[in-house]
Amino acid sequence: MNQPGTTIIVVELSYQLCHSSAIGLEALRVTVDKLARAYGFLWALRDLNLDLTPGQCVALLGPNGAGKTTLLKLLSGLITPTTGEIRFDGVIFSRSMPELRARVGLLAPSDHLYDNLTARENLTFFSRLYKQSVVPESLDSALEQVGLAERAGDYVANLSSGMKCRLSIAKWMLLQPELLLVDEPYGVLDGSGIRLLENFLKHQCTCGSIVVMASHHVSRALDLCNRVVILSQGRLSFNEAKRQPWPAFETAFSEFLPHGGS
Amino acid sequence: MTLLRQTGLMLWKDTLLELRRRESLLTMFFFGTLLLFVFNFAFDLAPDKIAGMAPGLLWLAFLFTGTLGLAQLFQAERENHNLDALLLSPLDGGALFLAKAAFNLILMVLVEIVVIPLFWILFNLPAWNLLPQIFLVTLLGTVGFCVLGTLMSAITLRARARELLLPLVLFPLMIPVILATIRCMAEVLRTGQFGDQVAWLRLLLGFDVIFLTAGMLIFDWVIES
Amino acid sequence: MIRQSRKRKGILGALALVTVLFSLYWSLVVAPPDAYQGEVQRIMYLHLPSILIAYLSYFLVFIGSGLYLWKREKRDDLLAHAAAELGVLFTALTIIEGSVWGRPTWGVWWTWDARLTLTAILLLIYVGYLMLRSLIEDENRAAMAAAVLGIIGFLDIPLIHMSVYWWRTLHQPPSILRPDKLPWENVHPSMLTALTISFVAFLLLYFYLLSLRYRVGEMHQEVIARRLERGA
Amino acid sequence: MGPWGFVSLAYGIVWGTLVVYLIFLKRRYSRATVELDQLRPMGEAGGDEKK
């Protein structure tokens, strides 16, 4: 793929395993080969091949209906592929593998929280669900980091969607998934929220996790990520590590968005 | 055993939600007692005839009250796509099934503990000493109802008009339980012990075991999106 | 491939028609009336085959549902759906025959006789199955929910059998329509042939209807796909 | 109504409903083929890998 002779600065992937759950476990590597998914007879995603290595922070771009959400759902195990398979360290990821699901997370901004439980109870519930033991202090420190310390006792129903997103971030901070999928988070977050999210995602990547973020905020996603994947009509049209300068990306990207896309 | 730990966790969450929302238990309880009054007006209950009709009336009340509980069972999971959150997590489908069935069972047993004595008082039935056997039969029947009911509630989760569809799909399948419990109760009321109706108890037990195992095995596919 | 299967269906249809006419002729004309029940016994030549066809359909629904849950092949789901629809049709016919047969024999259109009650319950279960399928929009979820209900419903049938027969034997002496005994006394050989012929006729007709309904289901799927593909 | 009345009633209902069902099924069958033929020439080019 690299054109010979041009000076290329490839963003180096450096990571060292630092989050607790990964100690003793070799960092998770996700391979996707000939993945396809059809709804009824319509192909939402066709013969997709990906190789996600630890430390990658992938920006998943593409127009509406390109298959971004389908890919996220497939990677998170919510839906099963029609053909092809997803392998975690060579092991096929299927619903009969609960322990593999413990290593995957899907950050849906204001979803996946119980409205009638308080913020703290939500965190307790999900951390007990994913892990045996739960240290109360870690809950408080997570809430502290996302700035919800004083709202710990409030019901989630009374929180604003921005605060719900912060609570989801706190949740995944606690659960430390090795593959974190993020579905268009920028819609609800304010300035400090976005900084908080991006620091968290960067921290995850430097700790050897894989982050795949689907978004329409191209400029933001580009700053954050070290790899870009573009989908259109269910097919992979671009998959390259970030580099300066990046002509290939401009051409691939301009195909489906009017020039100067947001 | 992760299965029991996860079931316990889900039960803790459901009871906490129920204490906060207070929507299932009270409505089921008042609906049960309401039905007793309605039965009184609906049938001219001469004292001698009532003993024969008691099992049928009681079970009608429990069937409808239980259906209210079942309709609310996955309500918390319908908000905020929480069912997807559970599908994401390493939660075993069987644990979710057990927790939900047990939760509905607890609600129904609490209602039954109050409604049965109330029924005895309102219709001044004589046989107070028979209550333990009556409770045993009702418990076996309620377990069968909750097991199959949770399955049907999960199946109709994403259907339109699911409150109507749930009883339509569930009641025909419940006929063995309905027949068994009513026959057993009638026998207990008539002769004070089970006598040759014990076969019905074995049928009830068989029903509970079969659909408990079937539910545990199949539930992962039921909730899969 | 499609031309060839359409030709096979044509043959099956013609064969079914011939055997049906032959069974009509044999059961209405050739077979002697029953000494005890008289002409009315001829309804049995309809009643017994359609009951067995109904049970066959519910077994096919069970098989289709099981395969669909296991391998997610669309065709198993189509088979289950087609078999369920035909099962409901034949169960309804069975109940109508039963009550028309009951009128002269017992003087009432409907009695809570074990067999009639059983068939009515089966009708309720599988009408619920079809309702469930029609009330869930999403194709895959409807197929999944129906598959689970197809299995659970079939598992319940033996339990329903036991409970209804116990319930029945409690009140009345075992009814005439016992499953294991032919419901009329002197079994004249040509009666048996009438029964076998009409059974074969019903089977052929059933498989013809099943393949037709399956094909309609398949085409319906294709139409959806074509429209989606052109629309997307 | 004599015995033959009941027999003809039963046979009439059964075979009547079966014939009516067959007619409706045939109509659904032909309508589906017509619909497919309308759509097929358009979709002929894309060899769809049907599941």
Side-chain angles (χ1 to χ4, degrees), chain B residues 45-73:
Chain B
L45 297 171
D48 54 352
K49 260 171 55 197
I50 182 60
M53 292 179 70
L57 296 180
L58 266 180
W59 254 92
L60 259 184
F62 294 149
L63 275 184
F64 290 124
T65 322
T67 309
L68 286 190
L70 289 177
Q72 290 300 338
L73 205 53

Side-chain angles (χ1 to χ4, degrees), chain C residues 2 6 9 20 23-24 27-28 39-40 42-43 45-46 74 85-86 89-90 93 96-97 100 103-104 109 202 205 208-209 212-213 215-216 219-220 222-223 226-227 229-230, chain D residues 1-15 17-18 21-22 25-26 28-36 38-44 46 48-51:
Chain C
I2 299 189
R6 187 172 295 157
K9 262 205 275 297
V20 162
S23 83
L24 278 179
S27 46
L28 289 180
E39 302 300 341
V40 168
R42 295 178 192 281
I43 299 179
Y45 302 136
L46 291 180
K74 202 59 191 160
E85 194 172 293
L86 283 173
L89 173 70
F90 277 93
L93 293 182
I96 295 167
E97 292 148 10
V100 167
R103 181 77 180 95
W109 286 107
F202 264 80
L205 180 66
Y208 173 66
L209 289 176
L212 206 59
R213 178 67 184 80
R215 184 70 195 116
V216 167
M219 282 195 280
H220 182 61
E222 243 179 274
V223 163
R226 286 272 186 286
R227 209 171 287 141
E229 232 161 54
R230 282 175 55 231
Chain D
M1 192 143 80
W4 277 106
F6 286 110
V7 173
S8 45
L9 181 65
Y11 276 71
I13 293 176
V14 168
W15 294 109
T17 1
L18 283 175
Y21 180 77
L22 186 61
L25 203 54
K26 276 280 186 203
R28 272 162 68 179
Y29 185 86
S30 51
R31 215 179 313 126
T33 24
V34 161
E35 239 174 318
L36 254 179
Q38 275 163 9
L39 293 168
R40 178 160 284 146
M42 312 283 282
E44 203 50 54
D48 55 300
E49 313 92 343
K50 183 144 54 48
K51 184 75 221 98

